[in-house]
Amino acid sequence: QNYWVIIHPPTIFLGFGSLTVMFAWAIAAMLERDAVEWIARVRPWAILSAAILGLGLCMGGFWAYETLGWGGFWAWDPVENVSFVPWIFTIAFYHGIIVQAARGRWIGINLLFGGLPFVLFAFGTLMTRSGLLGDASVHSFAEMNRFALWILAAILFVSLGTLVGLWATVGRKLASLAAPPTEGVDRESAYATGVLLLSLIGAVAALGMAWSFVSAIVFGKASIIEAHLYQVSLVWVFVPLLLLLAIAPFIGWRRVNPGKVAARLMNAFGVALGVTGLTLWLMKNPLWGAAGAGQTRPDALTGEPVFEHATITMPFGIQVSPLTIVTLFVFLASFTAVANFWRLAESLRRAKLSIGGFLSHVGVAVLLTGLIISRGLEHHEISVVPKDHPTRVLDYELSYVGMSKTDLFDRDNHVEFKVSRDGESYTATPGLYYVPDPDNPDKAMVWPHIQHHTLYDVYLSVGAPVLYANDQPMVLKKGETADLGSAKVKFAGWHAPADPRAADAKWSADVEISIDGKTFKAQPAMLRTETGMTPTLTRINDELYVSLIAMNADDGSITLQWPLAEPRFPVELFYKPMTFLVWAGAGILFVGGLLTAFYRRYRGKTGSVAEEPPLEDAPLPAA
């Protein structure tokens, strides 16, 4: 029903499949006691796996953004983590390859990390196909039969046992062949810190997805780790990782002079400050159309602007404004992008081998900038739009136009709204159709309408129409009074027909309803017809009907329903700034991965493990 579902699964499955190549090379290297040669052969496969799997992940985020209607790309869903965790450890493995190729170290950790992504993928597949996460994820997968699950479990345990067993008996011995470590700060120590931070991110996400599976087995119901817990945990890793991504490209393989590195970084630092300031100016400058679209109306009581979050809670309970934290993170991401672009420009003249890597770092920074701004500075408001009553939501006026199809079970049906602001208007068409389901006749499928602008998206999500003023039918006994929102409803009595067996017998009730100081009287009725007992609609005012749907002769109670004269559509309108950066960053990241795989392809023993000279330093010979 969405083109991303046609493109996203084959792409991410191709990435999953490519993990078997890394696993096979790691196992073969330990069986053959090969600590060196396999690195040159597996390197392009590791890069390709990371590129394809990362692209598949981004496509899944695009699907969520365009389909689920909550205005975001990533929610730390357990099935999302099933793809994310192997990708993170694949990235860590590739950086370990660089160190081993240049310095002859990290042999043992590379043998382990080469096979780990496939094992994690096998575990994730067992989770998703077990059927235990059906209530814990927005993803729906067919549950395998028990025999197929046993085969999948066997694949997991055999691959895990083989990897761990060989690594414990062979891999650790091969690790002793590594070159001795050096002291001081150099590029290897930067890579070591980066791999550690990546592994922490992967471990947190892996524990989160595993908990959903374990809780389903132990307690009979899968529980989800809230996205907020991931965020407050990973913020400790996020900041140093971005700083490291910016600084590491300027560090050589030999011990560095901190003053020299700092001097080279000052240019990138200054440009990043300028980029951050320009970004904030674009957000505020009405000439670009970004500022007015996001303004919210003042609160009716306090007069303050209405935001989803007035402050953000940081570690140690520190409260900061969204603008403050977004500015900090945008600067860090800009610093990373500018620094790596700087090194990319230098590499064009000196060593093209690193172009793809620097470009991938730029892509990560651009993607993160888009995620940070679009979520951190978004404005959104929830409202209800009645027919023939234009409603103001954020700075936009929404008017319900109608349905695109007469058949509400048609998958191509849309709800049409006229959206107007500052003399400009367009027709938004969020999707809505009903699914034939005897157990849930009101089950509706919806998806948002996204109006793309140069610097922001206007994102309109619609819910199933509200047809009744009350959520549940109202049961009243004679003389009882109940609340219907701000109105009061009283059941005064009911009337039975003279001949209950007559073909046109009629039962009715006396109902009084008080709205805004006015009292209305109505006599909703039930008629005997050829098809059975049929309720009638009795109008209360221009907006409301009442319907008598049941009578209980035993206790004298009646059951009322309160249909609205016109359906009302619950809507949620988002102003999402700078979302185009998410798409651009994903494309840059993928292209950088392909370029890296091309330049690092295996060319035989000659030159197969050569590393480009970083800055003025030449690498030490490999072991």
Side-chain angles (χ1 to χ4, degrees):
Q1 298 176 29
N2 179 273
Y3 57 91
W4 284 120
V5 180
I6 301 173
I7 305 171
H8 158 62
T11 303
I12 207 161
F13 291 156
L14 182 62
F16 284 149
S18 68
L19 299 178
T20 62
V21 180
M22 296 195 308
F23 178 84
W25 273 115
I27 297 299
M30 287 186 281
L31 290 174
E32 295 291 328
R33 280 28 176 204
D34 173 18
V36 177
E37 177 65 18
W38 81 287
I39 286 295
R41 296 177 182 271
V42 79
R43 182 189 335 218
W45 285 101
I47 302 167
L48 197 64
S49 292
I52 296 175
L53 198 54
L55 181 64
L57 277 170
C58 293
M59 287 179 174
F62 299 153
W63 169 80
Y65 183 68
E66 292 192 357
T67 304
L68 297 183
W70 59 279
F73 293 89
W74 190 262
W76 297 101
D77 183 283
V79 176
E80 293 173 0
N81 289 344
V82 166
S83 306
F84 179 70
V85 173
W87 180 71
I88 282 289
F89 280 102
T90 300
I91 298 295
F93 171 56
Y94 170 66
H95 287 82
I97 288 176
I98 296 175
V99 174
Q100 183 172 342
R103 291 310 251 315
R105 286 195 280 274
W106 293 26
I107 293 175
I109 196 68
N110 285 337
L111 289 169
L112 181 62
F113 272 30
L116 186 60
F118 174 78
V119 174
L120 291 168
F121 153 67
F123 173 64
T125 305
L126 180 63
M127 280 178 49
T128 56
R129 291 295 181 177
S130 67
L132 296 175
L133 301 183
D135 298 329
S137 172
V138 298
H139 300 76
S140 177
F141 292 95
E143 180 180 351
M144 285 183 169
N145 63 50
R146 189 171 297 276
F147 181 70
L149 284 175
W150 278 115
I151 294 177
L152 190 55
I155 292 174
L156 169 62
F157 290 114
V158 168
S159 61
L160 176 62
T162 303
L163 178 65
V164 173
L166 279 175
W167 187 82
T169 57
V170 178
R172 294 176 62 186
K173 293 180 180 179
L174 292 176
S176 63
L177 302 176
T182 58
E183 297 181 356
V185 177
D186 55 12
R187 183 172 286 194
E188 181 183 352
S189 62
Y191 277 127
T193 305
V195 169
L196 175 61
L197 295 175
L198 287 171
S199 300
L200 287 174
I201 293 175
V204 170
L207 289 173
M209 75 174 185
W211 170 247
S212 299
F213 185 61
V214 172
S215 63
I217 296 175
V218 175
F219 303 110
K221 184 178 180 180
S223 59
I224 305 176
I225 303 297
E226 297 294 334
H228 175 70
L229 294 178
Y230 287 103
Q231 293 160 5
V232 297
S233 301
L234 295 179
V235 69
W236 297 94
V237 183
F238 181 74
V239 173
L241 186 60
L242 276 179
L243 285 172
L244 189 66
L245 278 173
I247 297 171
F250 291 87
I251 299 176
W253 285 105
R254 299 185 184 277
R255 292 184 63 177
V256 301
N257 183 331
K260 186 177 180 180
V261 173
R264 292 180 60 84
L265 283 168
M266 286 306 296
N267 292 330
F269 186 89
V271 174
L273 283 176
V275 170
T276 304
L278 178 62
T279 302
L280 295 178
W281 177 79
L282 289 174
M283 295 293 300
K284 295 294 183 181
N285 193 324
L287 294 177
W288 291 85
Q295 297 300 317
T296 57
R297 298 195 310 272
D299 185 88
L301 297 178
T302 65
E304 296 294 326
V306 178
F307 296 106
E308 181 186 7
H309 302 295
T311 60
I312 296 176
T313 303
M314 296 298 292
F316 306 111
I318 300 173
Q319 299 289 326
V320 297
S321 68
L323 183 60
T324 301
I325 194 66
V326 167
T327 301
L328 172 63
F329 285 164
V330 167
F331 168 72
L332 290 173
S334 299
F335 186 34
T336 298
V338 171
N340 281 273
F341 190 80
W342 199 289
R343 289 290 291 122
L344 188 153
E346 293 178 344
S347 299
L348 288 174
R349 301 191 304 268
R350 302 178 67 247
K352 294 184 178 181
L353 287 175
S354 290
I355 290 176
F358 293 138
L359 189 63
S360 295
H361 290 175
V362 172
V364 169
V366 171
L367 188 149
L368 287 175
T369 301
L371 290 175
I372 291 163
I373 295 178
S374 66
R375 180 67 181 93
L377 295 182
E378 76 174 16
H379 294 207
H380 92 279
E381 187 175 355
I382 300 174
S383 187
V384 176
V385 180
K387 184 179 180 181
D388 299 326
H389 288 79
T391 304
R392 194 163 186 80
V393 187
L394 293 182
D395 269 2
Y396 294 84
E397 186 177 86
L398 270 60
S399 302
Y400 169 70
V401 177
M403 296 283 190
S404 64
K405 304 284 186 180
T406 55
D407 181 8
L408 296 184
F409 292 93
D410 190 327
R411 291 193 335 190
D412 294 325
N413 182 56
H414 295 84
V415 187
E416 298 181 354
F417 293 93
K418 181 181 178 181
V419 183
S420 305
R421 182 176 75 92
D422 296 338
E424 299 180 3
S425 64
Y426 60 89
T427 300
T429 55
L432 166 68
Y433 73 94
Y434 285 89
V435 179
D437 187 349
D439 298 327
N440 186 8
D442 296 329
K443 183 178 181 180
M445 297 292 290
V446 297
W447 62 94
H449 174 94
I450 305 173
Q451 193 73 14
H452 298 286
H453 296 79
T454 304
L455 294 178
Y456 62 93
D457 287 350
V458 179
Y459 187 105
L460 177 62
S461 180
V462 64
V466 178
L467 304 177
Y468 301 98
N470 54 323
D471 295 331
Q472 299 294 332
M474 180 185 293
V475 179
L476 290 173
K477 293 183 179 179
K478 185 176 179 179
E480 285 187 342
T481 301
D483 293 331
L484 180 64
S486 60
K488 298 288 185 181
V489 179
K490 181 179 179 181
F491 170 38
W494 57 282
H495 307 279
D499 183 5
R501 293 175 294 180
D504 58 349
K506 175 182 177 180
W507 287 260
S508 62
D510 293 326
V511 176
E512 297 179 359
I513 178 170
S514 299
I515 304 176
D516 297 331
K518 297 181 180 180
T519 301
F520 302 87
K521 294 184 178 181
Q523 277 194 336
M526 295 178 64
L527 304 177
R528 185 191 299 278
T529 64
E530 294 180 355
T531 58
M533 302 299 293
T534 304
T536 62
L537 285 178
T538 303
R539 182 180 286 274
I540 298 297
N541 54 23
D542 293 340
E543 299 180 353
L544 191 64
Y545 287 92
V546 61
S547 175
L548 177 63
I549 61 174
M551 303 180 72
N552 190 327
D554 293 335
D555 60 7
S557 65
I558 60 171
T559 303
L560 301 175
Q561 188 64 279
W562 300 89
L564 296 170
E566 297 289 351
R568 299 177 180 180
F569 287 89
V571 297
E572 191 167 8
L573 190 67
F574 293 83
Y575 159 72
K576 304 284 295 184
M578 299 291 184
T579 47
F580 75 93
L581 293 177
V582 180
W583 305 79
I588 295 171
L589 177 61
F590 179 64
V591 172
L594 292 184
L595 282 176
T596 307
F598 175 77
Y599 283 123
R600 301 292 186 181
R601 65 192 185 278
Y602 182 70
R603 299 168 180 167
K605 292 185 178 181
T606 303
S608 62
V609 296
E611 187 72 22
E612 80 287 357
L615 305 181
E616 295 82 6
D617 299 324
L620 297 177

